[in-house]
Amino acid sequence: NLKIDYVFDLINAFKSLGSVEESVLFLQDILTASEIKNLSIRLRAAKLLLDGKTQRDICMELHVSIATVSKVYSCLTQKGEGFRNAVSKLPIKYSLPTKVVRGPLEYHLPEILLTTTQHLIASSQNKKVEKLMERAEEKEFSDKILKEAAADLYIKHVK
């Protein structure tokens, strides 16, 4: 019954998050940097599989083992409702514009407005993820220090 209570709390904690900022704060607190990376890779693998890419192509693109992609593929073929639902709700990830139009403003105003808007959206998206990754790396470093200190304490206690 306790395990059910724990999972209930976890599910509802995710459900209660109302913004990207809240999600970032929660993920950085509850997961390690490697857990964030692994979950991100699994989600991207699911997205690519649902887009029709082959397992081998996904391994090459994500730089992961075939076992990792096979696990995700297995989930998708057995049911995969969770992956499908999550992937279908993912927002578009904008990239920073690479071309800047040159010339008189009055000739390129629509392009300039679109490029500026795309830049602002992409920058905002990137900042939120970069913040999460920075904090995850900081946490990974402090976790390493704690693990070393605990190991030293254990060795001293055993001797």
Side-chain angles (χ1 to χ4, degrees), residues 110-128:
E111 295 166 286
I112 291 169
L113 290 172
L114 282 171
T115 301
T116 303
T117 303
Q118 181 180 349
H119 186 274
L120 290 171
I121 292 170
S123 294
S124 174
Q125 288 176 335
N126 289 346
K127 282 180 188 173
K128 292 170 185 172

PDB file of all heavy atoms in Angstrom, residues 110-128:
ATOM      1  N   PRO A 110       8.076  41.869 -43.255  1.00  0.00           N
ATOM      2  CA  PRO A 110       7.463  40.605 -42.801  1.00  0.00           C
ATOM      3  C   PRO A 110       8.511  39.550 -42.432  1.00  0.00           C
ATOM      4  O   PRO A 110       8.378  38.867 -41.420  1.00  0.00           O
ATOM      5  CB  PRO A 110       6.617  40.154 -43.992  1.00  0.00           C
ATOM      6  CG  PRO A 110       6.357  41.393 -44.773  1.00  0.00           C
ATOM      7  CD  PRO A 110       7.554  42.259 -44.575  1.00  0.00           C
ATOM      8  N   GLU A 111       9.551  39.436 -43.247  1.00  0.00           N
ATOM      9  CA  GLU A 111      10.609  38.457 -42.948  1.00  0.00           C
ATOM     10  C   GLU A 111      11.340  38.803 -41.658  1.00  0.00           C
ATOM     11  O   GLU A 111      11.656  37.932 -40.849  1.00  0.00           O
ATOM     12  CB  GLU A 111      11.615  38.390 -44.104  1.00  0.00           C
ATOM     13  CG  GLU A 111      11.036  37.857 -45.391  1.00  0.00           C
ATOM     14  CD  GLU A 111      11.961  38.124 -46.553  1.00  0.00           C
ATOM     15  OE1 GLU A 111      12.033  39.287 -46.990  1.00  0.00           O
ATOM     16  OE2 GLU A 111      12.620  37.165 -46.995  1.00  0.00           O
ATOM     17  N   ILE A 112      11.596  40.085 -41.450  1.00  0.00           N
ATOM     18  CA  ILE A 112      12.294  40.528 -40.242  1.00  0.00           C
ATOM     19  C   ILE A 112      11.437  40.246 -39.005  1.00  0.00           C
ATOM     20  O   ILE A 112      11.930  39.758 -37.989  1.00  0.00           O
ATOM     21  CB  ILE A 112      12.661  42.024 -40.336  1.00  0.00           C
ATOM     22  CG1 ILE A 112      13.747  42.223 -41.408  1.00  0.00           C
ATOM     23  CG2 ILE A 112      13.126  42.570 -38.993  1.00  0.00           C
ATOM     24  CD1 ILE A 112      14.008  43.673 -41.771  1.00  0.00           C
ATOM     25  N   LEU A 113      10.141  40.507 -39.092  1.00  0.00           N
ATOM     26  CA  LEU A 113       9.243  40.242 -37.975  1.00  0.00           C
ATOM     27  C   LEU A 113       9.186  38.749 -37.662  1.00  0.00           C
ATOM     28  O   LEU A 113       9.232  38.343 -36.498  1.00  0.00           O
ATOM     29  CB  LEU A 113       7.846  40.783 -38.262  1.00  0.00           C
ATOM     30  CG  LEU A 113       7.712  42.308 -38.264  1.00  0.00           C
ATOM     31  CD1 LEU A 113       6.330  42.720 -38.747  1.00  0.00           C
ATOM     32  CD2 LEU A 113       7.999  42.873 -36.896  1.00  0.00           C
ATOM     33  N   LEU A 114       9.089  37.916 -38.697  1.00  0.00           N
ATOM     34  CA  LEU A 114       9.067  36.465 -38.487  1.00  0.00           C
ATOM     35  C   LEU A 114      10.375  35.970 -37.885  1.00  0.00           C
ATOM     36  O   LEU A 114      10.376  35.159 -36.950  1.00  0.00           O
ATOM     37  CB  LEU A 114       8.791  35.736 -39.804  1.00  0.00           C
ATOM     38  CG  LEU A 114       7.340  35.715 -40.268  1.00  0.00           C
ATOM     39  CD1 LEU A 114       7.232  35.153 -41.680  1.00  0.00           C
ATOM     40  CD2 LEU A 114       6.484  34.921 -39.322  1.00  0.00           C
ATOM     41  N   THR A 115      11.484  36.449 -38.402  1.00  0.00           N
ATOM     42  CA  THR A 115      12.787  36.038 -37.894  1.00  0.00           C
ATOM     43  C   THR A 115      12.965  36.474 -36.447  1.00  0.00           C
ATOM     44  O   THR A 115      13.444  35.704 -35.614  1.00  0.00           O
ATOM     45  CB  THR A 115      13.915  36.633 -38.768  1.00  0.00           C
ATOM     46  OG1 THR A 115      13.741  36.188 -40.110  1.00  0.00           O
ATOM     47  CG2 THR A 115      15.286  36.212 -38.282  1.00  0.00           C
ATOM     48  N   THR A 116      12.553  37.688 -36.123  1.00  0.00           N
ATOM     49  CA  THR A 116      12.667  38.186 -34.760  1.00  0.00           C
ATOM     50  C   THR A 116      11.798  37.374 -33.808  1.00  0.00           C
ATOM     51  O   THR A 116      12.230  36.995 -32.713  1.00  0.00           O
ATOM     52  CB  THR A 116      12.271  39.680 -34.704  1.00  0.00           C
ATOM     53  OG1 THR A 116      13.095  40.409 -35.612  1.00  0.00           O
ATOM     54  CG2 THR A 116      12.422  40.233 -33.303  1.00  0.00           C
ATOM     55  N   THR A 117      10.576  37.085 -34.224  1.00  0.00           N
ATOM     56  CA  THR A 117       9.671  36.280 -33.399  1.00  0.00           C
ATOM     57  C   THR A 117      10.237  34.880 -33.185  1.00  0.00           C
ATOM     58  O   THR A 117      10.234  34.367 -32.064  1.00  0.00           O
ATOM     59  CB  THR A 117       8.276  36.194 -34.061  1.00  0.00           C
ATOM     60  OG1 THR A 117       7.782  37.527 -34.245  1.00  0.00           O
ATOM     61  CG2 THR A 117       7.312  35.394 -33.216  1.00  0.00           C
ATOM     62  N   GLN A 118      10.719  34.256 -34.251  1.00  0.00           N
ATOM     63  CA  GLN A 118      11.303  32.923 -34.143  1.00  0.00           C
ATOM     64  C   GLN A 118      12.495  32.947 -33.201  1.00  0.00           C
ATOM     65  O   GLN A 118      12.664  32.051 -32.371  1.00  0.00           O
ATOM     66  CB  GLN A 118      11.728  32.413 -35.517  1.00  0.00           C
ATOM     67  CG  GLN A 118      12.327  31.023 -35.485  1.00  0.00           C
ATOM     68  CD  GLN A 118      12.749  30.541 -36.869  1.00  0.00           C
ATOM     69  OE1 GLN A 118      12.427  31.143 -37.883  1.00  0.00           O
ATOM     70  NE2 GLN A 118      13.488  29.454 -36.898  1.00  0.00           N
ATOM     71  N   HIS A 119      13.308  33.973 -33.284  1.00  0.00           N
ATOM     72  CA  HIS A 119      14.483  34.088 -32.424  1.00  0.00           C
ATOM     73  C   HIS A 119      14.070  34.207 -30.959  1.00  0.00           C
ATOM     74  O   HIS A 119      14.652  33.553 -30.078  1.00  0.00           O
ATOM     75  CB  HIS A 119      15.326  35.296 -32.837  1.00  0.00           C
ATOM     76  CG  HIS A 119      16.609  35.398 -32.091  1.00  0.00           C
ATOM     77  ND1 HIS A 119      16.700  36.024 -30.869  1.00  0.00           N
ATOM     78  CD2 HIS A 119      17.850  34.930 -32.362  1.00  0.00           C
ATOM     79  CE1 HIS A 119      17.937  35.948 -30.426  1.00  0.00           C
ATOM     80  NE2 HIS A 119      18.656  35.287 -31.310  1.00  0.00           N
ATOM     81  N   LEU A 120      13.062  35.017 -30.686  1.00  0.00           N
ATOM     82  CA  LEU A 120      12.604  35.194 -29.302  1.00  0.00           C
ATOM     83  C   LEU A 120      12.037  33.898 -28.725  1.00  0.00           C
ATOM     84  O   LEU A 120      12.327  33.535 -27.586  1.00  0.00           O
ATOM     85  CB  LEU A 120      11.550  36.309 -29.230  1.00  0.00           C
ATOM     86  CG  LEU A 120      12.061  37.724 -29.463  1.00  0.00           C
ATOM     87  CD1 LEU A 120      10.891  38.701 -29.589  1.00  0.00           C
ATOM     88  CD2 LEU A 120      12.982  38.151 -28.337  1.00  0.00           C
ATOM     89  N   ILE A 121      11.229  33.189 -29.511  1.00  0.00           N
ATOM     90  CA  ILE A 121      10.637  31.935 -29.040  1.00  0.00           C
ATOM     91  C   ILE A 121      11.724  30.890 -28.804  1.00  0.00           C
ATOM     92  O   ILE A 121      11.760  30.228 -27.763  1.00  0.00           O
ATOM     93  CB  ILE A 121       9.582  31.409 -30.041  1.00  0.00           C
ATOM     94  CG1 ILE A 121       8.375  32.341 -30.060  1.00  0.00           C
ATOM     95  CG2 ILE A 121       9.152  29.990 -29.689  1.00  0.00           C
ATOM     96  CD1 ILE A 121       7.392  32.056 -31.186  1.00  0.00           C
ATOM     97  N   ALA A 122      12.624  30.735 -29.775  1.00  0.00           N
ATOM     98  CA  ALA A 122      13.699  29.740 -29.648  1.00  0.00           C
ATOM     99  C   ALA A 122      14.599  30.069 -28.465  1.00  0.00           C
ATOM    100  O   ALA A 122      14.985  29.172 -27.707  1.00  0.00           O
ATOM    101  CB  ALA A 122      14.514  29.675 -30.937  1.00  0.00           C
ATOM    102  N   SER A 123      14.915  31.327 -28.277  1.00  0.00           N
ATOM    103  CA  SER A 123      15.766  31.726 -27.150  1.00  0.00           C
ATOM    104  C   SER A 123      15.095  31.406 -25.824  1.00  0.00           C
ATOM    105  O   SER A 123      15.740  30.903 -24.900  1.00  0.00           O
ATOM    106  CB  SER A 123      16.076  33.222 -27.209  1.00  0.00           C
ATOM    107  OG  SER A 123      16.861  33.514 -28.335  1.00  0.00           O
ATOM    108  N   SER A 124      13.808  31.673 -25.733  1.00  0.00           N
ATOM    109  CA  SER A 124      13.071  31.383 -24.507  1.00  0.00           C
ATOM    110  C   SER A 124      13.055  29.885 -24.219  1.00  0.00           C
ATOM    111  O   SER A 124      13.284  29.458 -23.084  1.00  0.00           O
ATOM    112  CB  SER A 124      11.644  31.917 -24.630  1.00  0.00           C
ATOM    113  OG  SER A 124      10.874  31.538 -23.523  1.00  0.00           O
ATOM    114  N   GLN A 125      12.780  29.082 -25.244  1.00  0.00           N
ATOM    115  CA  GLN A 125      12.777  27.626 -25.068  1.00  0.00           C
ATOM    116  C   GLN A 125      14.150  27.133 -24.631  1.00  0.00           C
ATOM    117  O   GLN A 125      14.267  26.321 -23.714  1.00  0.00           O
ATOM    118  CB  GLN A 125      12.366  26.925 -26.368  1.00  0.00           C
ATOM    119  CG  GLN A 125      10.915  27.065 -26.719  1.00  0.00           C
ATOM    120  CD  GLN A 125      10.581  26.429 -28.065  1.00  0.00           C
ATOM    121  OE1 GLN A 125      11.430  26.292 -28.941  1.00  0.00           O
ATOM    122  NE2 GLN A 125       9.328  26.047 -28.224  1.00  0.00           N
ATOM    123  N   ASN A 126      15.183  27.616 -25.286  1.00  0.00           N
ATOM    124  CA  ASN A 126      16.543  27.168 -24.988  1.00  0.00           C
ATOM    125  C   ASN A 126      16.967  27.560 -23.575  1.00  0.00           C
ATOM    126  O   ASN A 126      17.605  26.769 -22.876  1.00  0.00           O
ATOM    127  CB  ASN A 126      17.535  27.733 -26.000  1.00  0.00           C
ATOM    128  CG  ASN A 126      17.393  27.097 -27.367  1.00  0.00           C
ATOM    129  OD1 ASN A 126      16.738  26.067 -27.521  1.00  0.00           O
ATOM    130  ND2 ASN A 126      17.982  27.706 -28.370  1.00  0.00           N
ATOM    131  N   LYS A 127      16.621  28.759 -23.130  1.00  0.00           N
ATOM    132  CA  LYS A 127      17.016  29.214 -21.799  1.00  0.00           C
ATOM    133  C   LYS A 127      16.457  28.308 -20.712  1.00  0.00           C
ATOM    134  O   LYS A 127      17.141  27.984 -19.747  1.00  0.00           O
ATOM    135  CB  LYS A 127      16.555  30.652 -21.559  1.00  0.00           C
ATOM    136  CG  LYS A 127      17.415  31.693 -22.227  1.00  0.00           C
ATOM    137  CD  LYS A 127      16.891  33.081 -21.940  1.00  0.00           C
ATOM    138  CE  LYS A 127      17.641  34.107 -22.780  1.00  0.00           C
ATOM    139  NZ  LYS A 127      17.068  35.446 -22.656  1.00  0.00           N
ATOM    140  N   LYS A 128      15.201  27.886 -20.870  1.00  0.00           N
ATOM    141  CA  LYS A 128      14.566  27.042 -19.860  1.00  0.00           C
ATOM    142  C   LYS A 128      15.270  25.696 -19.767  1.00  0.00           C
ATOM    143  O   LYS A 128      15.536  25.196 -18.678  1.00  0.00           O
ATOM    144  CB  LYS A 128      13.085  26.862 -20.186  1.00  0.00           C
ATOM    145  CG  LYS A 128      12.303  28.145 -20.022  1.00  0.00           C
ATOM    146  CD  LYS A 128      10.898  28.033 -20.559  1.00  0.00           C
ATOM    147  CE  LYS A 128      10.193  29.381 -20.480  1.00  0.00           C
ATOM    148  NZ  LYS A 128       8.908  29.377 -21.146  1.00  0.00           N
TER     149      LYS A 128
END
